[in-house]
Each structure stands twice: as C-alpha cells, then as structure tokens.
Amino acid sequence: MKTLTPEVSGILDKLYNLRGEDSVILVEMEKQKNKAEETKERTTNEKKNLQQKISELEKLHEELDEQGEKLKEVLSGINRDDYKTVLDRLRIDFNPKALVDKLDHSLPKTIDTVKDDTKKAEDELVKVEEEMNNAITTIEELGIRKDAALSNQEKLNEYFELALTGRINITRDSITSLLEQFSFTEEEQREAAKLLMFPEDALFTYDEKIKAKEKTGKSIGEVIAEAKTASIEEPQVREEKIEFEKPSQEEIKEEINTYDPKEEMIETLKKAGIDYLDFNPKEIDELLANFDVNTVEQNIELINKKGLGLDIFNGHITLMYDGELEEKIELLVNSGKELIDLYLNPTVLEKYTKDALKNRMNEIKNNGLDLKEVPLMAY
C-alpha cells in the first residue's frame, strides 16, 4: 500500500489546491482580471482626457490662425503718423509695423508648438486605446479560460469522488490529459493517475486530514499551507551505545580505495527521505556527474525549510546541485512571488543563472510591468 510520503503528499497538495475555490489557477486568473479591469478603467479615463485635450488644441490652432491673420490685416492698415500726436502725448508705445513683424515671426512658431502638442496627444491616444483594447480582450479571454478551468476543476472533483468511493472506472489517458491542462509534468501525471486509479491508504489518509481541518472553516489552501509549514515528526529511535574496534591503517586505506561516489549520493538522498529510484537513470547520471554532498544537503534542507516539498526535484534534478538555488528563490520571493508559484513553476529556477534571472527581471520592469503581477510561466 502506498504510504503518505512527502513526495506523495506534495502531489496531493497540488491536486487538492486545484480542487478548491482558492485554486492557484483561479487565484492567478482573478489577479490578472483585476489588473486588466484596473487598466481598462484607467485607460478609459485617459482616453477621455486626451480626446478633450486634442479638441482644445485643435480649437486653439484654429483661433490662432484665424485671429492672427485678422490682427495682421488690421495692423497693416494703420499708419502710426495718423495718431502720432495722441500716442506721443500719452506716451503710448504703439508701432503697428513692429507688431506685424512680431506676428510674422512668432505666430508660426506658436502654431507649430500647438501642432506638436496635438500630435503628441494623438500618438498617446493611440497607445492608450491599444492598451485599453488589450485589457478588454484580456478580460474576455480570462472569462473563457475561467469557464474552462472551472469545467476542468469540476471534472477533477468528479474523479476524486469516484476514487474515494471506489467507483472510478476512468482510463489513465483521461486522467493524464486532464492533468496536462493543469500544467502537470509527465511524471506528476503518472503518479497522480496511479493515486486515483488505484486509491490506497495515502489518498484516504490525506483526504481524512483535509476534511478534518476543513471543519474548522478553513479553505483547502489554508489547510495545505498549514500542512506544509507543520513540522514532520521523526520516528523515535532508541539509542544504544555500541563500541567499535579501532580500524587498522590497512583497513582505512582499503576503505578509501573502495569509495563509491554513487553510494554516497544514494546514502545522502536516503538520509533526506528521498528514494533515488524516484529518478530516471538519466537524472541519476546527471546528479552523480555534478554531485557535491554539501550543496545537495543544503538545497534539500532549503526546500524543506521553505515548505516547497521534495517532489520539486522530480523532473528538475539540476535544482538539487544548483549552487545559486537559495539566491534565486530569494530574488523571486522578494519580487512578490509566493512559494506556491515556485512550486508550480520550478522550471524558472532551472532556466536562469542568478545573474541571468536578475537581467530578465530588469527587462520586465523596464517594460513597465510589475514583477509581482507577471506569472512565472512568462519569464
């Protein structure tokens, strides 16, 4: 019978999260929808203001052009000498010709400035309308995607109910194709399909824990979060004092000569509660080729400490010997990402070095986007 190991628990954490209202997929969609609606409201107001500004600038252009010509015509018809006595006596500095010259010189520049301001406002309007239309499209698409996600969620819940009552008669392909819609890896799909098609103690034990905690009024997400942060009780082992004979120098030399790095790797994983057989031969060879006991132990401890679940290494073996793993996790968490985001999208931790990740995050910010709002799958 399959027991509730950390790896199996990790798969069930992910599945049960997707079953509830606080499904990471539905939550992310709601975030995107709220952001799109805020963008739509903002750009709608900006569009209205820009249209009004353009209208006012066009009116100003028309008045400057029309009134400027009239004023030049009037001034050109005035001979200062006809009013010389009055102007001099009252000390009025009035020179029609000089004013006409000033109009000829300054008015075209002023009109050009108004034209430039109008062009800038029109260009900005095009951008705002494009942003507004994209937001409207996003809202519509999210509505369709949410309907599909809810339909997939309903089907997943149906499969669970059948499995828990011993009445499931669904094909493996039906389950894996459904889980593929939730971005499960092939390995996760196979493991989850086994749990549902051949329900054993692990599934029933987990389900009982979830239902017991749900009675407190907490959501599935809250229950899972508590489960992940709760300490795992280690079995009590009775200590016995055993005396060993001191090995001879020849025995020490023999032990050194027969050192097997693969055995050390297997033993290191075993101490952490990881069965090396959970990985395929290619992954084992890759880990062995890059194995450093200190780095591997530190990364396993880091993943446990963060409550991410050791199954994050399945299909992502490079994370186990990544010397920059902690720094990359901190970069993403400090940018506003939740640990569940990293659990569901560990590929981003493999894809980038620490410096490359910093550069990618800077690119996103330079494009005017909020790192917290951009999903990891877009990195």
Side-chain angles (χ1 to χ4, degrees), residues 174-225:
S174 296
I175 297 174
T176 55
S177 62
L178 174 62
L179 295 178
E180 188 176 3
Q181 303 301 312
F182 294 113
S183 299
F184 274 59
T185 65
E186 290 185 5
E187 181 63 30
E188 290 173 331
Q189 291 173 30
R190 287 195 294 270
E191 185 63 31
K194 280 190 265 182
L195 287 168
L196 289 172
M197 293 179 70
F198 309 105
E200 299 181 2
D201 287 349
L203 177 59
F204 296 113
T205 300
Y206 188 97
D207 190 69
E208 287 172 5
K209 288 182 178 180
I210 290 291
K211 287 177 178 176
K213 291 183 178 180
E214 280 182 339
K215 289 180 180 178
T216 63
K218 295 175 181 175
S219 67
I220 289 179
E222 290 172 322
V223 171
I224 291 173

Side-chain angles (χ1 to χ4, degrees), residues 46-79:
E46 288 179 359
K47 177 181 178 180
K48 180 179 178 181
N49 292 335
L50 284 168
Q51 287 175 328
Q52 182 178 347
K53 181 178 180 180
I54 291 169
S55 177
E56 291 172 352
L57 285 169
E58 288 175 342
K59 182 180 179 182
L60 177 60
H61 180 190
E62 183 181 342
E63 289 178 348
L64 284 171
D65 202 19
E66 182 180 336
Q67 293 178 19
E69 287 302 318
K70 286 183 178 179
L71 184 55
K72 282 196 296 181
E73 184 179 346
V74 170
L75 291 172
S76 298
I78 297 175
N79 184 345

Side-chain angles (χ1 to χ4, degrees), residues 15 42 85 89 144 159 200 307 347 358:
L15 285 166
R42 172 178 58 78
T85 301
R89 187 68 179 180
I144 296 171
Y159 289 177
E200 299 181 2
T347 303
K358 284 182 180 178

